[in-house]
Amino acid sequence: RRPSSEALNTRKWLIFYHKSIVRTAERLVRLMGTNAELCDLEWRCFNDGFPDLCIQGTHVHLSNFYGICLLLSFHNPEVIFEQLSLLYTLPQMGARRIHAVLPWFSTTTSDRVNRLGQIATAKTMAQLISCCPVGPGRPVQLLTYDIHSPMQEFFFGDRMHVELRSAMVLFKEALRCLRLEEPEEEIAISFDVADSHFRRTFAEYPQVICSKVRAGVGGAGRVVKVLEGEAAGRHCVIVDDLVQSGG
């Protein structure tokens, strides 16, 4: 079925989203105005817990839309299968262009093998995502933010176009606003000694460089020690390449 001229002229996007990030999807539609609408998708489960998904109404005709945006959230292993099911289906339903947004690549820290028998689950996740079929248009474009290491782009297969983005510009803008709101309070950036690239990124701020030292029985605990810089009396902002508990 060919797309209508009205749909192509308005360049309207249909927004799919996981139910856990509905507020993000609603905000995106408000920002895009008449160029986007939320998909009517039922997230249900059978009695055994497996997903029972169904796209409702006219939204099944994906070729009528300029593009499809899929907002993913792999925050819990229990929700990954249902979202992969949707991702795999969209190209087969005639979507001409699909942008999948995965803000947090949840297995990103497991990207290397340091001892025999260890499994790099970041590559496993990338392979699962890369199994997405190619639709009538271009391959699916995956956007993910602040991945643990740039080399993970090569974990994905050729059928997935991966764009690595960073939200650091938003963070630096928040720091700038904090400076304007509280000019009398000195801001210092604190980071681990292994993340030396932050020296250049935050060169305009005082820096407090720390080191994590194993402690406790079997090295299960961590103690943070300051190696360089002065934290006393400053508003210290801790920066890491990935903060799993960051919300």
Side-chain angles (χ1 to χ4, degrees):
R1 177 175 177 177
R2 296 181 61 82
S4 66
S5 58
E6 181 181 357
L8 289 179
N9 288 336
T10 58
R11 299 173 69 89
K12 178 166 285 190
W13 288 77
L14 184 60
I15 312 299
F16 286 83
Y17 58 94
H18 187 255
K19 56 189 177 183
S20 64
I21 49 174
V22 59
R23 287 186 296 177
T24 301
E26 291 172 345
R27 184 181 180 189
L28 176 60
V29 170
R30 288 196 298 269
L31 290 172
M32 296 181 67
T34 58
N35 289 329
E37 64 180 87
L38 292 179
C39 178
D40 188 8
L41 171 64
E42 291 188 359
W43 293 90
R44 299 177 301 189
C45 292
F46 293 107
N47 292 334
D48 58 4
F50 279 90
D52 178 17
L53 311 179
C54 186
I55 301 172
Q56 302 294 313
T58 59
H59 290 163
V60 297
H61 304 298
L62 301 187
S63 60
N64 285 345
F65 292 88
Y66 176 79
I68 305 299
C69 178
L70 173 58
L71 304 180
L72 301 166
S73 179
F74 288 0
H75 59 279
N76 188 312
E78 295 179 357
V79 302
I80 293 176
F81 176 71
E82 59 187 3
Q83 293 178 82
L84 287 178
S85 300
L86 177 59
L87 175 64
Y88 292 176
T89 302
L90 295 178
Q92 298 173 332
M93 296 182 66
R96 295 180 171 271
R97 51 178 58 79
I98 302 174
H99 287 191
V101 182
L102 182 63
W104 181 44
F105 191 60
S106 50
T107 58
T108 187
T109 54
S110 181
D111 59 353
R112 61 178 64 90
V113 174
N114 297 318
R115 62 182 185 276
L116 186 63
Q118 193 173 6
I119 298 174
T121 54
K123 184 173 183 180
T124 306
M125 182 72 77
Q127 290 173 327
L128 285 171
I129 297 174
S130 300
C131 288
C132 180
V134 177
R138 63 195 72 180
V140 172
Q141 183 171 339
L142 177 71
L143 283 75
T144 189
Y145 286 80
D146 294 299
I147 205 164
H148 190 241
S149 59
M151 72 173 186
Q152 292 184 38
E153 179 181 356
F154 303 102
F155 288 176
F156 294 86
D158 294 336
R159 292 191 296 181
M160 183 69 58
H161 179 203
V162 180
E163 271 194 53
L164 303 183
R165 300 287 186 89
S166 176
M168 187 62 73
V169 62
L170 301 177
F171 176 61
K172 295 189 74 173
E173 176 62 19
L175 289 178
R176 188 188 70 83
C177 293
L178 182 61
R179 262 183 167 178
L180 294 176
E181 293 172 1
E182 302 179 19
E184 72 285 352
E185 190 168 82
E186 187 177 17
I187 298 175
I189 303 298
S190 179
F191 52 89
D192 189 85
V193 65
D195 300 323
S196 58
H197 59 282
F198 286 140
R199 285 183 181 271
R200 299 186 301 273
T201 305
F202 299 100
E204 67 272 31
Y205 292 94
Q207 297 177 356
V208 179
I209 302 174
C210 303
S211 176
K212 293 189 291 288
V213 180
R214 293 180 181 272
V217 179
R222 298 289 189 276
V223 175
V224 177
K225 293 188 175 181
V226 175
L227 300 181
E228 181 181 329
E230 181 60 50
R234 288 171 168 169
H235 184 148
C236 288
V237 180
I238 300 174
V239 183
D240 202 348
D241 53 0
L242 189 75
V243 184
Q244 190 170 9
S245 60

